[in-house]
Amino acid sequence: MEQSSPGRALIASTPGQAALDHAEKERRPRSWPLSVYFLTHLLIFAVVGGMASFYVSARADSDARAAAAQDALFAADRAAQDLTDGVAAIQGAVNRTAANPTISR
């Protein structure tokens, strides 16, 4: 930025120069106030934070469902194996009892 000198102030105070300064100001784009930048950044931060929160929540829910399904499958496989072992044990006991000739007496 240029420093204003006393000579410049006198020149700028003439009507012709004031009109030129006004035209120069109109050509320059206006900048936003600093508070608008802060609010914009705050809004962007809040939106990104909300989206990240939603994504993490959805991902955690999906992972929890997958883990529950895997646990249920493991429990079902284990229960089926236990039932198979139990039936085999009972069948062996029944076969041994049926093969014993002294039971018929």
Side-chain angles (χ1 to χ4, degrees), residues 73-96:
L73 183 61
F74 174 77
D77 286 344
R78 182 67 187 177
Q81 185 63 43
D82 287 348
L83 284 173
T84 302
D85 293 345
V87 168
I90 292 171
Q91 192 174 19
V94 168
N95 287 341
R96 281 191 304 275

Side-chain angles (χ1 to χ4, degrees), residues 93-105:
V94 168
N95 287 341
R96 281 191 304 275
T97 304
N100 189 352
T102 60
I103 291 184
S104 63
R105 293 189 204 161

Side-chain angles (χ1 to χ4, degrees), residues 5-95:
S5 66
R8 174 102 172 127
L10 289 175
I11 294 173
S13 64
T14 62
Q17 187 63 35
L20 287 176
D21 287 343
H22 181 68
E24 183 180 326
K25 285 181 184 179
E26 285 183 358
R27 278 184 276 158
R28 275 189 258 150
R30 285 188 152 182
S31 63
W32 292 348
L34 190 57
S35 61
V36 172
Y37 285 111
F38 283 136
L39 288 175
T40 303
H41 282 92
L42 182 65
L43 180 65
I44 290 170
F45 181 75
V47 168
V48 169
M51 290 172 59
S53 173
F54 176 75
Y55 174 76
V56 167
S57 174
R59 185 66 185 184
D61 185 47
S62 174
D63 289 347
R65 287 180 189 275
Q70 214 170 21
D71 288 347
L73 183 61
F74 174 77
D77 286 344
R78 182 67 187 177
Q81 185 63 43
D82 287 348
L83 284 173
T84 302
D85 293 345
V87 168
I90 292 171
Q91 192 174 19
V94 168
N95 287 341

